[in-house]
Amino acid sequence: MGLSRSRYSLTFPSDDEGKVVFFSAKTAAAVQLPAQLVDGMAGGSLDAGEERLLVELGLLVPDIEEERREILSFTSELEAQAETFHLIVFVAQQCNLACPYCYQGAEKGSARLTAETSAHLVRFATTTAFDRGRDLKITFYGGEPLLALREILRLAEQLQHAAAARGRTFRFSFITNGTLLTREAASLLRPLGLRAALVTLDGPAASHDRQRPLRNGAGSFLRILANLQQTWDLVDLQINANYSRETYREYPRLLDDLLAAGLGPERISAINFSPITWERRSPVFTGGCRSGNEPWLFAAAPFLREETLRRGFRADKVRPTVCMVDLAHELVVDCDGSLYKCPCFVGEERFRVGHLTSGVQGRAEAYGRDRWRSTECLACPYLPLCFGGCRYQVYQATGTAAAVECKRPFFEACLERLVVQDLAYGPAVTKDSVP
Amino acid sequence: MNRIIVLAPKVDKKEILMACCSGTKVRVAQG
């Protein structure tokens, strides 16, 4: 039927001689097949059933121009299919930790989500999500969001009522340092819609306590670990660990410490590692990497992922990845009700896109919404895995968020290893699979 | 004998990684 190989497909060597792994960056599907089949695809060496299978998996396409159009409409298709509206809500600017690398700086404000802003948020959620047949998911963020527990309880209760009155659902999660995620707090929040918490642990105790001390200088590791032990049955717990070139080799010990503390893959649903980045805006912090393509990351990222997976923990799979800036049903709300498209730019006027009372206005050119729709990006086999990459990362490097953060060097160096890891470890243990 | 072995199925659109997950600063909890 005149098929072409997808522009967003890659082949990697297989352990089986004469065979290759054929992977789609567009669908994350992978097959193993004889190498000569890939070479001979244009010559029609596949039978009809094989052709149908590879088309279904997105590895072959009937029309390369149609595939281009499909990729160009990828984000609008996601928007059209979205059943859930997602808000990241800044509930408190304050934090009880003093992490030297914090991108929000050492001196934080004292603002919290007021009763007035909460009321605006309920009205906004009702008209933008519930009345349009969509559910609502909020990710509470800060500062440390659990410093505003009272404000969150008030808002969550109001949103539960608003959702129920229209036959919709409301659920929420936290990005939290974990120091205040007690069983008591989780028990109060669970009936109001708490589902997940993403907790930061920067390596084993010594490394973590150096990078994430309490404001009085004391360590926070043991307190967080105790909270995780007390809440895993109430909240879907996920861990993110920020590493540096100097510290990442110690991080497998964090995984062993979690296992020794009874926090195995049946209690922690995902562990991911992120490199600490250099901060353009920080007057004091000068460490961290300036690009996701620094060569040491090509060793560090697959190494940490391998250590995670081989202990049975789950990490994010390689799959299509879209920045929230490119999706209309994803927004960020600051304490004062201002709307943004990315949490990293909150407080910067040129990245503000509206207010809860007036909705989103304009296209927010500062974010460069069409930056990946270039000939170069559309021809890149890795495009669906990055869609232009992280705007904050490129802002750090260049001073503009409207440029592409090209991840091609990283993918060229690491993708094969990451895909092979996913295939080798398969579906990991999840909470749902444990009786 | 099948010449093609499916090692990983294609992901559902709902499983596409959203929000800041690709970034390094804020990884949104999935749930």
Side-chain angles (χ1 to χ4, degrees), chain B:
Chain B
M1 195 177 111
N2 288 336
R3 295 190 294 176
I4 302 177
I5 301 166
V6 178
L7 302 174
K10 68 178 189 181
V11 294
D12 189 273
K13 284 229 164 171
K14 287 177 187 162
E15 290 178 60
I16 283 166
L17 213 49
M18 289 295 187
C20 305
C21 309
S22 68
T24 53
K25 279 293 146 203
V26 184
R27 186 182 286 272
V28 173
Q30 306 292 304

Side-chain angles (χ1 to χ4, degrees), chain A residues 5-314:
Chain A
R5 185 174 156 170
S6 164
R7 198 173 290 200
Y8 309 105
S9 67
L10 297 127
T11 50
F12 306 123
S14 166
D15 286 343
D16 288 357
E17 202 180 331
K19 296 191 173 176
V20 293
V21 173
F22 195 20
F23 173 76
S24 169
K26 198 174 62 179
T27 67
V31 299
Q32 186 192 62
L33 75 183
Q36 73 267 22
L37 272 191
V38 178
D39 299 335
M41 272 169 188
S45 57
L46 297 165
D47 67 35
E50 291 169 339
E51 285 187 345
R52 268 197 307 276
L53 174 64
L54 295 180
V55 169
E56 165 61 23
L57 296 175
L59 288 157
L60 293 183
V61 292
D63 180 349
I64 207 84
E65 278 309 305
E66 177 57 31
E67 182 181 51
R68 188 171 179 274
R69 287 191 287 276
E70 181 195 335
I71 283 292
L72 284 168
S73 63
F74 195 91
T75 52
S76 53
E77 284 286 313
L78 281 180
E79 285 173 358
Q81 292 175 20
E83 293 164 2
T84 302
F85 201 92
H86 177 221
L87 297 172
I88 296 179
V89 177
F90 279 62
V91 278
Q93 290 179 340
Q94 285 172 308
C95 187
N96 56 340
L97 297 191
C99 313
Y101 64 85
C102 183
Y103 77 103
Q104 294 168 342
E107 296 306 318
K108 296 177 171 64
S110 57
R112 288 190 186 186
L113 198 72
T114 62
E116 185 187 8
T117 307
S118 281
H120 291 322
L121 204 157
V122 174
R123 275 194 292 276
F124 181 83
T126 302
T127 55
T128 312
F130 304 145
D131 282 350
R132 296 187 188 178
R134 282 178 168 170
D135 298 325
L136 176 69
K137 177 188 166 183
I138 286 183
T139 302
F140 288 112
Y141 189 45
E144 169 47 46
L146 282 163
L147 285 170
L149 178 61
R150 201 169 37 181
E151 287 83 354
I152 291 168
L153 289 168
R154 179 185 62 208
L155 175 62
E157 195 169 349
Q158 292 170 339
L159 285 169
Q160 281 298 349
H161 285 139
R166 287 157 185 83
R168 307 309 314 178
T169 64
F170 162 64
R171 67 185 198 278
F172 62 91
S173 62
F174 286 103
I175 297 170
T176 171
N177 62 37
T179 56
L180 304 171
L181 186 63
T182 60
R183 187 164 185 87
E184 186 187 1
S187 302
L188 287 171
L189 293 161
R190 172 86 198 173
L192 296 174
L194 173 62
R195 291 292 174 272
L198 181 68
V199 177
T200 309
L201 280 175
D202 285 359
S207 162
H208 173 94
D209 287 342
R210 202 165 50 240
Q211 282 184 192
R212 301 183 68 78
L214 293 164
R215 289 223 159 259
N216 64 11
S220 60
F221 186 85
L222 290 176
R223 192 202 285 194
I224 298 165
L225 210 65
N227 284 341
L228 299 182
Q229 289 170 318
Q230 294 293 312
T231 53
W232 66 268
D233 59 330
L234 296 173
V235 194
D236 182 82
L237 293 174
Q238 301 156 32
I239 289 174
N240 187 54
N242 304 304
Y243 63 89
S244 69
R245 186 176 191 160
E246 293 73 34
T247 62
Y248 81 87
R249 290 177 193 83
E250 311 164 22
Y251 278 35
R253 272 186 19 235
L254 165 65
L255 303 168
D256 294 330
D257 290 347
L258 289 170
L259 289 167
L263 294 164
E266 70 288 355
R267 295 183 178 179
I268 303 291
S269 70
I271 301 180
N272 287 288
F273 292 88
S274 308
I276 293 171
T277 51
W278 169 71
E279 289 304 331
R280 165 175 289 273
R281 298 179 295 194
S282 171
V284 288
F285 179 67
T286 55
C289 53
R290 295 191 179 220
S291 154
N293 293 316
E294 287 190 7
W296 69 274
L297 288 171
F298 303 167
F303 163 72
L304 291 170
R305 198 162 180 272
E306 178 78 26
E307 294 294 316
T308 305
L309 294 170
R310 78 180 182 83
R311 287 168 173 81
F313 288 109
R314 192 165 57 169

Side-chain angles (χ1 to χ4, degrees), chain A residues 334-353:
Chain A
D334 196 7
C335 291
D336 66 356
S338 293
L339 300 175
Y340 296 83
K341 286 298 299 175
C342 165
C344 296
F345 296 110
V346 163
E348 293 205 28
E349 183 58 30
R350 69 193 168 110
F351 291 99
R352 189 178 176 276
V353 296

